[in-house]
Amino acid sequence: MNVFEELESEVRSYCRGFPAVFERAKDHWLWDENGNRYLDFFGGAGALNYGHNNEHIKGKVLEYIQNDGIIHSLDMASVSKREFLETFNEIILEPRKLNYKVQFPGPTGTNAVEAALKLARKVTGRDSVISFTNAFHGMTLGALSVTGNAFKRSGAGVPLGNAVSMPYDGYLGDDTDTIDYLEKTLEDGGSGIDLPAAVIVETLQGEGGINVASFEWLKRLEDLCRRWEILFIIDDIQSGCGRTGPFFSFEPAGLDPDMVCLSKSIGGYGFPLALVLIKPELDVWEPGEHNGTFRGNNLAFVASTAAMRQYWRDDSLSRQVEANGARVREAFEKFVMTWPDVFVEARGRGLFQGLVCNDAEIADKICAEAFANGMLMETSGAESEVVKCLAPLTIDQEGIEMGLEILEKSIRTVLGKDDSRVA
Ligand SMILES: *Cc1c(COP(=O)(O)O)cnc(C)c1O
């Protein structure tokens, strides 16, 4: 009996794209139960920035378990939570001159988004939230209402309201600054757009197709929010924790968001953890008003603290991400030049790179072929037309080169099978 097919819900998805039964993993490698090895260019969709079973972090986790460190404590105070908060403040917030309070919602990204939206509505007394085309913020109803993808939205089964979708940077082509349109709708009493509680945005849309907003666009968006007293929320769940180079994706744009959602790699070891960073004056929650059994996962605190101490005391990881990201980008651009009828462009920031195909089927075939050649790689975008590189940030140069070789080989095989496309 194939227990996955017989017992597990039809909703399962990644196991269809990566049809193996995985058993072990280390750094940027996974092994299935038959001993086949796979290079990881998928990185747990951004949850494994420090790789699988990171040796530096593992020691701390094992030691904590060995000593019967408290694992579950709802949101009670614990030594591991204190160490996490102190470390987060000392290594992440203070050096960046960021002043936030930290909320622990439930352990998933979508829960961080729900909490941020609820708080924005509570603070402002307004209902609606502005989000952007091709945004992805999670699968619960509030987060889904600010998510663009029609297929995902259709799963809600109820109307998704109290949200307005605006064109993201570049949505209307290179010649249109979509902030002009947003500004007009806010200024014009005839626009039909009510003043929103908040704007929620990804600086780089991961699930939406590696769409990169320019720093100027983001800065204009923030300025517009300030002018209209709209709360400015950045969803850094996928693009944070060093994915684009710096710890927060918005650092080089010089932004100062009112709230920041973090999850995915903040748990350090692939452990579930989510945070909402809140400007202190906005922290108007009543005790218990946003509750949850699994807030504050102590094992994740231990792993996250170890990850911050190991990787964020200096900028060596950031520089490695930038160097490896530049190498991936260079290779992707070469693919675009070699096969201009197949690939539209290469885009991304840091180790968050996309190779845009002119047809979704090709992207899927390339990822399937890469899997057959021993590599995990995922597609993204409204039509899954973008091949996306999300390798663990700790991957070495050799791993990057190996991945690019597998990718090129896979592209050649896919295009070779389709004679009309051979360059
Ligand atoms: C993954 C993701 C989420 C949702 O996180 P979950 O843990 O899957 O609920 C929200 N926003 C962004 C940008 C994401 O990439």
Side-chain angles (χ1 to χ4, degrees):
M1 156 169 166
N2 181 335
V3 74
F4 305 108
E5 281 173 25
E6 306 222 346
L7 205 56
E8 192 180 352
S9 162
E10 291 303 313
V11 79
R12 66 192 191 280
S13 64
Y14 288 115
C15 56
R16 300 173 195 265
F18 305 133
V21 180
F22 296 100
E23 192 169 37
R24 286 188 313 116
K26 188 69 183 172
D27 300 329
H28 46 278
W29 294 102
L30 300 91
W31 287 266
D32 69 18
E33 61 183 349
N34 300 318
N36 299 309
R37 190 174 78 154
Y38 302 84
L39 180 64
D40 193 356
F41 257 38
F42 169 57
L48 292 165
N49 283 7
Y50 310 110
H52 298 262
N53 297 310
N54 182 297
E55 201 61 26
H56 301 291
I57 304 172
K58 184 169 83 174
K60 300 291 180 199
V61 169
L62 287 176
E63 187 185 291
Y64 191 78
I65 292 178
Q66 189 66 43
N67 292 333
D68 286 333
I70 188 159
I71 297 291
H72 184 265
S73 54
L74 292 129
D75 72 350
M76 288 182 257
S78 69
V79 171
S80 67
K81 192 205 284 193
R82 180 166 60 209
E83 283 184 4
F84 168 82
L85 284 168
E86 285 172 353
T87 308
F88 189 71
N89 197 40
E90 179 202 319
I91 296 181
I92 305 299
L93 294 182
E94 277 181 352
R96 294 168 179 79
K97 301 191 169 54
L98 294 170
N99 184 19
Y100 288 116
K101 291 187 78 181
V102 180
Q103 177 182 359
F104 301 108
T108 61
T110 198
N111 211 301
V113 170
E114 294 292 341
L117 299 182
K118 278 164 79 169
L119 185 60
R121 289 177 169 124
K122 183 176 160 83
V123 166
T124 60
R126 301 177 207 138
D127 325 310
S128 95
V129 172
I130 282 179
S131 58
F132 292 93
T133 49
N134 287 308
F136 180 80
H137 296 293
M139 298 302 283
T140 51
L141 291 182
L144 209 46
S145 72
V146 288
T147 289
N149 188 288
F151 171 65
K152 300 246 160 50
R153 291 176 66 87
S154 71
V158 294
L160 295 170
N162 303 309
V164 178
S165 184
M166 287 282 161
Y168 193 70
D169 192 13
Y171 190 70
L172 299 171
D174 289 343
D175 299 332
T176 306
D177 186 339
T178 59
I179 294 294
D180 290 341
Y181 174 68
L182 175 57
E183 185 169 31
K184 174 93 191 200
T185 64
L186 292 172
E187 283 171 359
D188 178 16
S191 71
I193 306 291
D194 297 327
L195 190 64
V199 160
I200 185 165
V201 68
E202 299 153 273
T203 63
L204 189 163
Q205 296 180 321
E207 299 307 301
I210 318 291
N211 305 308
V212 188
S214 73
F215 296 154
E216 301 75 52
W217 186 89
L218 290 164
K219 190 72 195 151
R220 277 194 77 192
L221 178 61
E222 184 182 66
D223 291 345
L224 202 56
C225 288
R226 295 278 174 266
R227 204 160 1 115
W228 287 91
E229 295 185 345
I230 299 165
L231 298 182
F232 182 52
I233 304 170
I234 290 194
D235 179 345
D236 231 13
I237 290 170
Q238 192 162 160
S239 48
C241 301
R243 178 49 60 188
T244 68
F247 186 85
F248 293 109
S249 71
F250 54 83
E251 288 174 48
L255 305 178
D256 187 24
D258 294 303
M259 289 187 237
V260 181
C261 299
L262 282 180
S263 186
K264 295 217 160 91
S265 278
I266 192 65
Y269 205 68
F271 291 146
L273 183 67
L275 311 181
V276 189
L277 308 182
I278 305 167
K279 281 269 141 84
E281 64 274 19
L282 301 176
D283 185 24
V284 299
W285 287 119
E286 299 288 333
E289 198 176 0
H290 187 84
N291 226 330
T293 308
F294 291 106
R295 286 166 302 145
N297 173 341
N298 286 284
L299 216 44
F301 288 150
V302 170
S304 188
T305 301
M308 287 186 280
R309 290 180 178 161
Q310 180 67 30
Y311 294 107
W312 294 102
R313 283 196 193 277
D314 61 30
D315 65 354
S316 53
L317 182 67
S318 289
R319 280 190 278 115
Q320 186 182 329
V321 169
E322 273 154 24
N324 283 332
R327 175 67 189 106
V328 171
R329 176 61 161 270
E330 176 191 49
F332 281 14
E333 276 168 2
K334 196 192 92 189
F335 298 152
V336 175
M337 262 164 28
T338 310
W339 296 288
D341 54 333
V342 179
F343 301 118
V344 180
E345 65 171 335
R347 61 191 183 212
R349 281 207 279 138
L351 214 36
F352 204 173
Q353 295 290 335
L355 176 60
V356 187
C357 305
N358 65 13
D359 113 46
E361 228 176 286
I362 286 282
D364 268 339
K365 282 185 190 162
I366 290 170
C367 289
E369 185 62 29
F371 182 77
N373 289 321
M375 180 163 79
L376 265 57
M377 210 173 177
E378 198 201 3
T379 62
S380 90
E383 313 294 333
S384 302
E385 73 283 14
V386 183
V387 175
K388 126 174 160 177
C389 170
L390 266 182
L393 306 184
T394 49
I395 192 170
D396 54 15
Q397 245 175 314
E398 196 189 336
I400 290 282
E401 293 305 330
M402 210 179 285
L404 293 173
E405 269 171 43
I406 293 176
L407 181 60
E408 176 161 355
K409 178 172 171 231
S410 305
I411 293 170
R412 287 184 186 281
T413 305
V414 167
L415 300 186
K417 281 180 184 158
D418 181 350
D419 289 340
S420 62
R421 290 180 185 276
V422 178

